[in-house]
Amino acid sequence: MCGRFDQNDIARRYVAAFGWADAAYRGQAEPTHNATPGTARLIFHMHGGAPAAEDIYWGYRPSWAVGKLPVAYQARLEKIHGNYWRRLLQTGRAVVPAHGWYEWTGEKGKRQAWHIHRKDRAPLFMLALASFAPARDHPAEGGFVLLTTDSQGGMVDVHDRSPLVLEAADAATWLDSDLSPEQAAELARALALGPDCFAWEQATLASARPAVKAAPGAGAAAEAAPAAPEPAPQLSLPL
């Protein structure tokens, strides 16, 4: 489901990998191998018709939902046409650049962290929905969620949900305000990268960046990878 992700590079290099030469960058988020919900992270979106890269709070809940619904950190692709998400699908499409994300397997107390990334180790671009309204009482009023879909192939062994990842050019099209919500959702379904594009490796829970062991059939050699403390449970609202 992507409870943490690896955003370990600086904004300028993520912007270059995305193919944006003139994006306005506003923000101070430091690169990290362990981006957590409830923190401000770098995202891409269109602002007034121009490319923008800025730090937005990871988590979303509108002010009217306080006391009724928890803060959400993911949204299911199959639910984004509902009333809760439709406004963001129209006006708040965004992209989160990263070098991978984490999932956990195993029993409580013996959980194993997995670092999932592109086989070519290139940056990946995860689809998101965001509210850019000023946050009055809680930062989640102006936050983002990652879009998830059913995992496919061998990735089901790690988690049954995965973030939607597109190639840079397709992710840029997702941001196009001329796309209707229906067209944007169809683009996400049709062009999301499949499991053959990814590798997943065990990550230890130590504070350093130790060597990791590649999962059988994951298609990547063992090498240094970030540590990943187990996250608290995160919510993807079924709305």
Side-chain angles (χ1 to χ4, degrees):
M1 184 179 290
C2 188
R4 307 275 178 111
F5 60 84
D6 175 4
Q7 196 177 65
N8 67 61
D9 212 344
I10 61 175
R12 176 173 55 82
R13 283 200 281 263
Y14 280 128
V15 167
F18 198 58
W20 277 357
D22 55 352
Y25 176 59
R26 301 181 294 275
Q28 300 177 340
E30 294 291 331
T32 178
H33 289 286
N34 187 25
T36 61
T39 61
R41 298 312 314 165
L42 175 69
I43 73 168
F44 299 158
H45 67 105
M46 300 300 290
H47 179 73
E54 64 179 303
D55 302 340
I56 298 292
Y57 181 86
W58 183 7
Y60 173 70
R61 181 179 60 192
S63 58
W64 62 262
V66 174
K68 302 175 183 177
L69 295 169
V71 175
Y73 302 99
Q74 299 90 15
R76 292 172 175 261
L77 177 64
E78 58 269 28
K79 300 292 185 179
I80 59 175
H81 291 294
N83 291 336
Y84 195 80
W85 301 115
R86 186 170 178 82
R87 180 182 65 84
L88 300 189
L89 181 59
Q90 176 69 55
T91 64
R93 296 194 294 270
V95 171
V96 178
H99 273 83
W101 74 92
Y102 298 99
E103 301 294 358
W104 281 257
T105 59
E107 299 177 359
K108 186 175 181 179
K110 298 181 180 179
R111 304 276 279 169
Q112 173 63 56
W114 295 87
H115 184 269
I116 304 170
H117 49 268
R118 289 183 60 128
K119 286 182 178 178
D120 59 9
R121 297 284 181 173
L124 52 82
F125 302 101
M126 301 183 289
L127 301 190
L129 297 177
S131 170
F132 301 106
R136 294 176 297 177
D137 300 318
H138 191 283
E141 295 171 18
F144 76 88
V145 295
L146 294 172
L147 291 186
T148 69
T149 189
D150 288 334
S151 295
Q152 303 293 325
M155 291 179 71
V156 174
D157 295 336
V158 181
H159 201 284
D160 62 355
R161 303 288 298 182
S162 301
L164 280 151
V165 178
L166 269 61
E167 296 287 5
D170 297 328
T173 301
W174 159 262
L175 299 179
D176 188 344
S177 60
D178 288 337
L179 286 185
S180 69
E182 292 74 20
Q183 289 172 323
E186 180 56 32
L187 178 144
R189 280 190 290 268
L191 299 181
L193 299 183
D196 290 345
C197 295
F198 300 99
W200 43 99
E201 301 169 343
Q202 292 181 7
T204 74
L205 304 185
S207 59
R209 294 184 61 207
V212 295
K213 180 180 178 181
E223 59 181 82
E230 184 172 352
Q234 306 303 333
L235 294 175
S236 177
L237 298 181
L239 299 172

